[in-house]
């Protein structure tokens, strides 16, 4: 270490050293640490946000130079956040995962009016409809900022959705006045997450902005697809063993009935099938005298009944398979439930 660097270190005020040490200790204490933009947030509203975060996250605002020094001092990967410490920022610390933190911060944002000179965060649109304002000079102000406005039915109306400023454009004083008059608040005020470091990974906001329900559905679909593949490929697992056994039992029973294999387990089904076949044959014979007494008088109605019974006999061959399919559906629902529960814990 050079004498010059020693002199610089010795001249650092004690309060700065203490601040850096305290911030570094906080970074080590929490599972997730991030940088949030706080530009344009009034101090009172910032205090309200800090209070709302109490119990789930901690917001620490300090000099950027001290925050950078603390991140570098920790040197456990968190120093990757140093480049995000520019402008008006704060340090956000939590034991929640980055996805949960991002969701919480986005949910806490509130609409706010936009002032002249600010940059539009997104396209500013004056919606179609009745403004509720009486005819007067305001219609000209609307038209001057690009709104499709006319006086109709005794009031000033916007005839179509009008984009009066695209994202990235600077808000003029005239546009700010018009938006305030209409009560349009085109921006959101809140903690703007820039990056989060957790579990050795640096997360950007776009990586955290996911549709939870869509992601949940994707995971459930993947789990169900994997399970179906396992069953169709006869690949036994703890989740598919019962279904595979049920499916095999159903197929074996169907083969046994088709081949008329004598077995106590198949006796009732074989007898039912034989009875249905006998009745179908009897219905096809025109001479009642040629039939045993119990089968005489067979009519068209009897034919229908025997056909129904025959169908039932055939269906009995696949009953076990149907039960196996039902069991597979239930297992699939269980898989989806398990996947949903696991995802719920994440978010």
């Amino acid at each position: 270490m050079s004498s010059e660097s020693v002199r610089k270190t010795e001249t650092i005020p004690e309060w700065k050293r203490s601040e850096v040490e305290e911030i570094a200790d906080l970074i080590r204490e929490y599972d997730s640490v991030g940088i949030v933009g706080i530009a344009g947030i009034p101090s009172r509203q910032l205090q309200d946000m800090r209070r709302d975060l109490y119990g789930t996250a901690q917001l620490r605002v300090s000099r950027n130079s001290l925050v950078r020094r603390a991140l570098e001092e920790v040197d456990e990967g968190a120093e990757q956040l140093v480049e995000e410490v520019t402008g008006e920022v704060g340090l956000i610390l939590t034991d929640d995962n980055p996805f949960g933190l991002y969701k919480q911060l986005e949910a806490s944002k509130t609409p706010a009016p936009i002032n002249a000179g600010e940059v539009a965060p997104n396209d500013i649109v004056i919606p179609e409809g009745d403004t509720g304002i009486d005819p007067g000079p305001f219609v000209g102000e609307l038209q001057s900022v690009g709104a499709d406005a006319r006086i109709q039915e005794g009031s000033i109306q916007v005839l179509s959705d009008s984009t009066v400023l695209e994202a990235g454009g600077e808000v003029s004083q005239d546009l700010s006045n018009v938006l305030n008059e209409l009560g349009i608040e085109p921006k959101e005020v809140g903690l703007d997450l820039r990056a989060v470091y957790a579990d050795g990974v640096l997360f950007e906001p776009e990586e955290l902005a996911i549709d939870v329900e869509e992601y949940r559905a994707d995971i459930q679909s993947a789990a169900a697809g994997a399970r179906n593949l396992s069953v169709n490929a006869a690949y036994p697992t703890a989740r598919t063993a019962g279904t595979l056994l049920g499916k095999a039992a159903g197929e074996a029973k169907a083969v046994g009935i088709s081949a008329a294999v004598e077995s106590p387990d198949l006796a009732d089904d074989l007898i039912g099938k034989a009875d249905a076949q006998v009745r179908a044959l009897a219905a096809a014979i025109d001479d009642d005298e040629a039939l045993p007494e119990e089968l005489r008088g067979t009519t068209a109605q009897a034919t229908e009944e025997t056909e129904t019974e025959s169908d039932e006999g055939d269906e009995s061959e696949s009953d076990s398979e149907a039960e196996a399919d039902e069991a597979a559906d239930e297992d699939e629902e269980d898989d989806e439930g398990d996947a949903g529960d696991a995802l719920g814990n994440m978010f």
Side-chain angles (χ1 to χ4, degrees):
M1 183 179 294
S2 67
S3 58
E4 183 180 355
S5 62
V6 171
R7 285 196 300 274
K8 287 183 178 179
T9 302
E10 291 175 349
T11 58
I12 296 177
E14 183 60 32
W15 72 267
K16 287 187 177 181
R17 293 183 187 178
S18 177
E19 177 77 357
V20 170
E21 290 177 3
E22 188 174 342
I23 295 174
D25 288 340
L26 284 173
I27 294 172
R28 295 187 186 97
E29 178 183 347
Y30 287 91
D31 294 337
S32 301
V33 55
I35 302 297
V36 291
I38 59 175
I41 303 177
S43 58
R44 182 174 180 179
Q45 191 167 358
L46 187 62
Q47 293 301 320
D48 291 340
M49 292 178 182
R50 192 194 302 269
R51 185 177 60 252
D52 293 340
L53 290 171
Y54 181 77
T56 59
Q58 182 175 162
L59 175 64
R60 183 64 178 262
V61 178
S62 185
R63 292 189 178 183
N64 287 359
S65 59
L66 302 182
V67 173
R68 292 193 198 98
R69 185 181 291 270
L71 289 168
E72 291 170 347
E73 182 175 305
V74 172
D75 192 25
E76 296 176 356
E79 71 277 2
Q80 298 177 62
L81 292 169
V82 168
E83 62 183 41
E84 301 293 345
V85 186
T86 59
E88 298 180 52
V89 297
L91 201 63
I92 190 84
L93 308 111
T94 180
D95 286 329
D96 195 1
N97 64 71
F99 295 93
L101 175 63
Y102 179 84
K103 184 178 180 181
Q104 180 183 11
L105 295 181
E106 288 299 302
S108 67
K109 291 183 177 181
T110 56
I114 195 166
N115 300 317
E118 292 189 57
V119 175
N122 42 52
D123 291 351
I124 297 179
V125 178
I126 296 179
E128 175 185 356
D130 190 345
T131 65
I133 299 175
D134 294 335
F138 187 64
V139 67
E141 296 179 27
L142 280 169
Q143 293 171 345
S144 69
V145 299
D148 182 16
R150 299 287 188 277
I151 296 175
Q152 289 186 354
E153 300 177 0
S155 67
I156 299 175
Q157 299 191 19
V158 178
L159 304 183
S160 62
D161 290 346
S162 304
T163 301
V164 293
L165 185 65
E166 294 183 349
E170 183 176 331
V171 178
S172 66
Q173 185 62 60
D174 289 341
L175 178 57
S176 177
N177 293 338
V178 167
L179 295 175
N180 288 334
E181 181 69 23
L182 294 174
I184 296 176
E185 299 177 326
K187 71 175 184 179
E188 289 184 325
V189 174
L191 300 175
D192 185 21
L193 189 63
R194 295 189 177 183
V196 183
Y197 179 80
D199 296 327
V201 180
L202 184 68
F203 294 91
E204 302 292 339
E206 56 270 16
E207 297 172 325
L208 302 174
I210 65 175
D211 186 326
V212 176
E213 293 305 318
E214 180 180 354
Y215 193 64
R216 186 194 306 276
D218 288 343
I219 290 180
Q220 291 175 341
S221 177
R227 189 195 168 285
N228 288 339
L229 177 61
S230 176
V231 171
N232 292 331
Y235 183 82
T237 67
R239 299 290 301 183
T240 61
T243 303
L244 288 172
L245 291 173
K247 180 181 179 183
E251 292 172 348
K253 182 177 181 180
V255 170
I257 293 174
S258 177
V261 175
E262 296 181 4
S263 168
D265 295 332
L266 301 178
D268 291 342
D269 295 296
L270 290 173
I271 292 172
K273 180 180 180 181
D275 182 68
Q277 291 173 338
V278 168
R279 291 180 179 275
L281 180 60
I285 297 176
D286 295 333
D287 187 2
D288 282 353
E289 297 297 327
L291 295 174
E293 185 175 349
E294 63 270 17
L295 293 178
R296 292 178 182 177
T298 303
T299 62
Q301 181 179 0
T303 302
E304 182 179 351
E305 291 177 355
T306 54
E307 289 177 351
T308 301
E309 291 174 358
S310 178
D311 291 340
E312 291 176 351
D314 293 338
E315 289 174 358
S316 68
E317 299 179 9
S318 58
D319 283 345
S320 296
E321 295 181 11
E323 292 174 0
D325 290 339
E326 289 181 8
D329 292 339
E330 291 176 358
D331 286 346
E332 181 176 326
E333 292 176 359
D334 291 341
D335 289 342
E336 293 179 355
D338 292 344
D341 292 342
L343 189 62
N345 292 333
M346 178 183 294
F347 296 99

